[in-house]
Structure formats: C-alpha cells, structure tokens
Amino acid sequence: MIPARTNPAQINPPHTIKASLSLWLLLMMIVSATVASEESLEGVIEDHWQWVLRQYPERRLEYGDRSGNGQWTDNSLAAFQQRYQDEGAFVARLEQIEPATLGHDARINRNMLMRQLRESRRRFEDGLHLIALDMRSGPQHWHSMIDYLPMETEQDYLDWLSRLRALPDQLVNYQGLLQEGVTGNRTQAQIVMARVPAQIQSLLEGSATESPFYKAFTALPPHFEPDQRGQLQAEATRIIETELNPAFQELLSFLEETYLPAARAPGIGSLPGGKQIYSHLVQRFTTTDMTPDEIHEIGLQEVERIRRDMEAVIAEVGFQGDMAAFNTFLRTDPQFYYDSPEALLEGYQAVSKRLDPGLVKLFGKLPRAPYGVRAIPDEEAPDTTTAYYMRPAIDGSRPGWYYVNLHRPEVRPKFEMEVLSVHESVPGHHLQISLAQELTGLPEFRRNGGFTAFIEGWGLYSERLGYDMGLYTDPYSRYGQLIYDMWRAVRLVVDTGIHYFGWDRQRAIDYFLANAAKSEADIINEIDRYIGWPGQALAYKIGQLKMLELRREAETALGDAFDIRAFHDELLGAGALPLDVLEHRMDTWLESKLAAGP
C-alpha cells in the first residue's frame, strides 16, 4: 500500500515558516549585537588598563615589566586635571554601551569599571586630591619601596638613581597640591599633619649614606666590580646631598610655615561642603547607600553586643572588677607582652606557622602564592598601625608580606597576635587577594583591584574563622578576638562622630579607651588614622556584617547540606566585589543549590 502523499504546507504552513525565520533572524541579531557590545566593552577595558599602566608606572612591576622602575606617577596639578578628563572620556565610551546588550559577566565588568571611574572623578571634583599626604602616606615614606624592588642588576640600581633624581620635582608637585588646598580650603587636619615635619626631619639627619633612600647601596651584589660599586654609591650620595635633601628641607619649611597654620580641625565636616563629601565617602567605602546616621547607630548597637560577650569572658576568668579595670590589667601586666622586638617577631612567625593546616576545612581552593612575616621599617613604625599586608606580585616574582609593628613591644599584647594574623595573612588578606590575582577570565582591573568593603570586610570576617581553625583556645585569646571586633565596631561610632557629628579628637579617644582594651598608644594612632582618612574605617565592620548575614542565610536555607568550603569558594570566586553585587551573586548561588536539591 502506497501511503498518501503529505502536503508539506500542512506540516509547516507558510506563516509558521515565516514566523520561525523571523524569530531566528531576531535571535541572530541579538546574538550579533551582544557579541559586538561585548567586544566594544573589552576594547574599553583594555584601553583603560593600558592607560592605568602608563599613568601609574609603579604598577608595571607586578606584571614583570621593569620599564617603569625609574619613574614616579606624575602628581602635578596638570596631571590630575588630565586624568580627570581622560576618565571622563572612558565614562562616555562606557555609556554608549547598553547594559541590556551584554551578558551577565560583561554587565558586571561594565558597571564596576563605571563605578570606579565615577568615584575617581568625584574625588577630583571634591578637591580631595589636594589633601595629598599625611603621617602614613606621602614621599617621606617612599624609601620603603626598596624593600620590594628587585635589586639584582646594574640597571635596577640605575633605575633607583633615576627615581632619586626625579624625587625633588615630585616634592615640588606635592607642595603645589598642598598650596592649592590651602587656597581652595581643602586641607588635611592639623593634628595629622603635625607628625609629618618630624618624619621629614628624620630623613635629613646624619650623612647622606645614613639616609633611608641610600639603603639600597649599602649592600650591593657581590658580583659588581669595585669601580661599578663606587660609581653607584658616589652618585647616590651626590643626589641625596645636593638635590634630594634640599628639596625635602624646602617642603619641610613650607609645611611648618605655611601649611600647618592653615590646616583644619579634625573632622572633614569642618570644610565647606564637608558633610556632603563625607556622606559620599561613606557610600564609596561601604558600597552601600547607608547614611552616617545609620552607620553610627549600627556602631552603637555592635559596641553593646560585643561588650556583653567581653563581660562574659571577664566573668569566666574570675577577674574582680569592671571592664575598664580588666582592660587596664591587660594593658599593664607584663605577662601579656614580649620583652624585645626580636621576641615579638618570633612570636608572630610562630603564630603564622600554625595557620595553614586549618585552611583545608574551610576552603576548597587555596592560593599558590606564598607569604612571609616582616617587621615594619623602623622609620615608619612609631606613626603607623599594628600591622599591614602587602600583596604579592601578579607575576609571582614577589610573595605577599605580612608586616608587623615591633616598635615598643611592651604595648603589643600576645593575646592579639592570633586574631591579627588571621586578618592580615590567612585566611584573611593574603588568601583573598592571592586567590583574586590567580583568577582567570577576569579583566586585570578586577584581578588586581577591588572594593574596600569586601577586602577589609573579608579580613574582619576571617577573624571569626579563627574559631573554626582551632585558635583562641584560652579565654585571653578569645578576649583578643573580641577586642578586635570591638575595635571595628568602635570605628563606626568614632569615624562618623569625628567627621559628621563634630566630635573632637579627645572625645573619640576617650570613647575608644572606654570600650576597647587596645593600648593608649595604639588608640591614638588609630584615631589619627581615621582623622586623616575619613570613611575608610567604616568598610571593615559593614563588610563583615554583610558576609555574616549571607552565611547565616545560606546555613538556614541549606541546613545539613550547607558546605562551608563551597560557600567560601563562591564568595571569593569573583574577586573583590561591591556588597550589592556580592549579595546578588550569593543569592543566585543559593537558589541554584536549593534547586539542585539534596
């Protein structure tokens, strides 16, 4: 039997074929538009990154490129104006790319770069580039660069000489920025700047060969010929004596005679439009839309919560007295302190060796980059914080470094060493930053950059992970963890208090002393840091609270299926993100886990 012939039109009517064709063409147009938009975006991102490397030659070394080692970033008024215009051009190019035509990852890249560019332009518009240096940052500290520069070949030393020759012009530019700040009422706080003249004066003491800028030439590589060594050392001595020291002396005179008398009160709110500037800095550093009032209230609540936990530890150890008396006991009893800087450094190194074994329980992926523990240079130590971290080079040529402050070991308690180390090294800054640098498929501005609320929020969140790692086994170490959590809660109160509510410096110091067991020397340095860097100190606690919230939500939703390693791998798997972007990422991850079922 021969089957009846089927009319093709009955299977695929003409209007259906046309509709399918139209749909296919529409899809192809969408795909084509998406590809074109993403290629355009990639072009903007790459052009911007190459611009960054030209503008900031110091950054090239992280990629194994030594071509910038003889240069400094141009810090002249004209250079800031030009960078503002260049960033405006990048913003305009990004605005021409419709987010709707991009894929999910490309939209995030576009939005993050746009955010960074707009914030940089806003900083220029607010005149914050004119507040150009303080006790913790500025050219008086640039000699410390030698600690991480590769000093192996003659060219490396010639590059450092080139930088020394160029430094006097940099100092002139700094003076120009500061003078413009005086004229435009954009000055740093006097209490912060009052420490800078002594820092500069210390550079001028002794002979040229005793200058920290000469340090690179004190131990030249043994394979250098005697004449070669002599020429390099002689030129370094000449530059320091005849060019660099006179330039620093001129900057010192300007600071003492012109700038310090014109410097402002502690809070940035004392400047014209200062409260509005501070409100924007709050949003910038926290990557939220929170107001100073809201953050101040969160701080007060966190201080009260942590006080209750601290009082429980005081009761546990059987101390007879209130928290203030217990804190005084901790600050003054010799049992809690090392006798020498050398013993303190050995203590930090011993703590760091105990951290790595606990990581495998918390992370599925660990970074390849190593890290080490170093002392903060003696020239910086009196005026800086308890510790800080320096990220490794992208090309693997330099490890991460955990720098610890050995100045006055009698004020650096043993019970803080574990919590400080997990914050600055692992699982804190070193683990998070190194993982970000080792990510593939991300543009460089995301691999080697990020947002303070994420980076410092993760560092503070990591302090809680010390319990999971078997740390804080005695009540004093647990109290140390609470001291550090309290420290960041106090920051919310005093930073907003100083810059928005008009607190004077002593009120901020007194509030800190009343609520935290850190030494008075540390507290004064901290308060002066907040005065000099408005808003930055808010990022730690706000970031930590968001990460803790995301973890609680995942634990509650997943129950026994919650895997802390998978959670952390996802949290860290896209580099440092704004908190709103992070929340969306983790919500999407949680939804996918719930949809997959047990």
Side-chain angles (χ1 to χ4, degrees):
M1 178 178 178
I2 301 174
R5 297 174 64 86
T6 303
N7 185 348
Q10 292 176 334
I11 299 175
N12 295 301
H15 64 276
T16 304
I17 295 173
K18 290 179 179 178
S20 299
L21 183 60
S22 297
L23 179 59
W24 181 83
L25 289 172
L26 179 60
L27 289 172
M28 290 301 99
M29 290 173 63
I30 292 172
V31 169
S32 178
T34 299
V35 170
S37 292
E38 295 195 358
E39 288 178 350
S40 179
L41 176 63
E42 289 171 3
V44 178
I45 290 173
E46 178 60 21
D47 288 349
H48 173 261
W49 183 248
Q50 294 304 318
W51 176 85
V52 167
L53 295 179
R54 290 193 302 273
Q55 294 295 313
Y56 307 101
E58 299 89 343
R59 299 194 64 174
R60 299 177 205 164
L61 184 60
E62 297 181 15
Y63 295 87
D65 179 0
R66 300 189 182 189
S67 66
N69 283 14
Q71 307 169 41
W72 302 108
T73 295
D74 188 345
N75 65 329
S76 64
L77 284 164
F80 275 103
Q81 179 66 50
Q82 185 60 55
R83 282 195 284 270
Y84 175 76
Q85 294 175 0
D86 292 346
E87 287 169 337
F90 284 118
V91 168
R93 289 176 64 184
L94 288 173
E95 287 175 338
Q96 293 174 0
I97 302 172
E98 285 293 332
T101 65
L102 299 171
H104 176 265
D105 292 342
R107 277 199 305 275
I108 292 176
N109 291 339
R110 176 190 179 276
N111 292 343
M112 287 179 63
L113 182 56
M114 181 79 82
R115 191 172 195 156
Q116 291 183 15
L117 288 166
R118 285 176 171 166
E119 286 176 351
S120 179
R121 283 171 57 79
R122 173 66 182 266
R123 177 179 173 80
F124 179 85
E125 291 164 358
D126 286 340
L128 296 180
H129 63 295
L130 303 176
I131 306 176
L133 59 86
D134 58 39
M135 65 182 184
R136 298 183 70 243
S137 65
Q140 74 273 25
H141 298 302
W142 285 1
H143 54 80
S144 63
M145 288 185 67
I146 203 66
D147 291 333
Y148 60 90
L149 286 173
M151 303 304 289
E152 302 157 354
T153 69
E154 182 180 28
Q155 188 59 51
D156 293 330
Y157 288 88
L158 293 175
D159 285 341
W160 185 242
L161 289 175
S162 294
R163 277 186 167 156
L164 294 185
R165 291 189 197 96
L167 190 47
D169 286 341
Q170 291 286 97
L171 300 183
V172 170
N173 289 339
Y174 267 104
Q175 184 169 327
L177 292 169
L178 295 173
Q179 181 60 65
E180 188 73 12
V182 171
T183 303
N185 210 350
R186 286 290 181 266
T187 56
Q188 181 58 274
Q190 188 177 73
I191 192 65
V192 171
M193 293 300 291
R195 298 199 193 194
V196 177
Q199 293 173 342
I200 296 177
Q201 186 60 52
S202 70
L203 301 176
L204 303 175
E205 295 172 354
S207 66
T209 57
E210 295 174 290
S211 168
F213 288 98
Y214 184 86
K215 182 170 58 175
F217 300 94
T218 58
L220 292 166
H223 62 270
F224 280 21
E225 296 294 331
D227 287 350
Q228 187 182 26
R229 299 159 70 90
Q231 290 171 3
L232 291 171
Q233 291 172 334
E235 179 63 3
T237 302
R238 184 195 68 77
I239 294 170
I240 292 169
E241 285 180 345
T242 65
E243 299 176 26
L244 187 54
N245 281 356
F248 268 116
Q249 182 61 60
E250 185 175 341
L251 179 61
L252 175 61
S253 298
F254 167 78
L255 290 174
E256 291 178 330
E257 298 168 11
T258 302
Y259 196 82
L260 277 170
R264 60 172 167 82
I268 199 171
S270 65
L271 294 178
K275 284 194 171 184
Q276 290 76 14
I277 292 174
Y278 182 67
S279 295
H280 176 73
L281 290 172
V282 166
Q283 294 180 351
R284 172 193 165 200
F285 281 116
T286 66
T287 65
T288 71
D289 58 1
M290 290 184 183
T291 66
D293 299 85
E294 291 170 330
I295 288 182
H296 191 82
E297 183 58 32
I298 290 171
L300 293 172
Q301 294 171 7
E302 280 289 283
V303 166
E304 288 306 308
R305 178 188 65 78
I306 299 166
R307 277 187 73 94
R308 292 192 294 270
D309 291 341
M310 297 174 85
E311 287 165 353
V313 175
I314 294 171
E316 178 185 344
V317 299
F319 181 82
Q320 300 300 310
D322 60 11
M323 182 181 290
F326 187 67
N327 289 344
T328 299
F329 162 64
L330 294 179
R331 292 187 187 112
T332 56
D333 195 304
Q335 68 173 305
F336 298 118
Y337 299 89
Y338 285 100
D339 295 329
S340 68
E342 294 77 17
L344 179 58
L345 179 60
E346 290 175 4
Y348 275 118
Q349 291 168 336
V351 168
S352 294
K353 288 179 181 178
R354 301 193 344 249
L355 300 182
D356 287 350
L359 298 178
V360 293
K361 298 184 296 183
L362 298 172
F363 302 91
K365 184 176 182 181
L366 295 172
R368 297 186 299 274
Y371 76 95
V373 183
R374 274 182 172 176
I376 292 174
D378 292 341
E379 300 86 359
E380 298 177 28
D383 296 317
T384 195
T385 52
T386 311
Y388 57 77
Y389 171 73
M390 179 183 291
R391 64 181 63 209
I394 286 279
D395 69 345
S397 61
R398 185 187 71 242
W401 287 109
Y402 167 29
Y403 281 87
V404 293
N405 199 328
L406 307 182
H407 178 66
R408 296 184 63 201
E410 69 275 12
V411 301
R412 309 203 182 276
K414 298 175 182 178
F415 54 78
E416 292 184 359
M417 294 171 69
E418 287 182 334
V419 65
L420 178 61
S421 297
V422 296
H423 181 108
E424 298 293 347
S425 58
V426 293
H429 288 329
H430 178 71
L431 184 142
Q432 180 264 311
I433 290 172
S434 296
L435 282 175
Q437 290 181 334
E438 294 169 13
L439 288 172
T440 58
L442 288 183
E444 291 302 327
F445 83 93
R446 287 184 57 186
R447 288 178 63 215
N448 202 21
F451 293 84
T452 308
F454 186 104
I455 295 170
E456 296 297 354
W458 172 260
L460 184 50
Y461 170 88
S462 294
E463 294 176 14
R464 297 274 190 96
L465 296 179
Y467 291 103
D468 301 295
M469 298 168 64
L471 304 177
Y472 318 141
T473 54
D474 68 81
Y476 293 107
S477 287
R478 280 190 278 119
Y479 198 81
Q481 184 271 316
L482 292 171
I483 287 172
Y484 269 52
D485 205 23
M486 175 67 88
W487 172 20
R488 281 37 169 266
V490 165
R491 284 176 169 180
L492 302 185
V493 180
V494 298
D495 197 273
T496 52
I498 292 167
H499 295 292
Y500 196 77
F501 295 108
W503 287 21
D504 62 28
R505 178 174 178 260
Q506 191 58 51
R507 181 177 176 182
I509 292 171
D510 290 343
Y511 184 86
F512 208 141
L513 283 169
N515 289 288
K518 292 186 73 63
S519 71
E520 186 168 4
D522 265 356
I523 286 172
I524 290 171
N525 273 347
E526 282 294 313
I527 292 298
D528 288 349
R529 169 193 165 180
Y530 310 153
I531 291 171
W533 202 357
Q536 190 270 352
L538 308 176
Y540 300 66
K541 175 58 72 169
I542 297 302
Q544 178 217 36
L545 291 175
K546 175 55 67 177
M547 291 176 184
L548 290 172
E549 174 192 322
L550 294 171
R551 177 171 168 175
R552 283 194 303 270
E553 290 175 353
E555 288 174 329
T556 301
L558 295 173
D560 292 340
F562 177 77
D563 181 348
I564 188 62
R565 293 180 301 173
F567 174 81
H568 286 152
D569 288 352
E570 186 68 17
L571 193 75
L572 300 177
L577 301 170
L579 296 184
D580 55 339
V581 178
L582 175 66
E583 184 170 15
H584 178 74
R585 174 181 172 83
M586 298 310 294
D587 286 347
T588 302
W589 172 82
L590 181 56
E591 290 168 5
S592 70
K593 291 293 182 183
L594 291 171

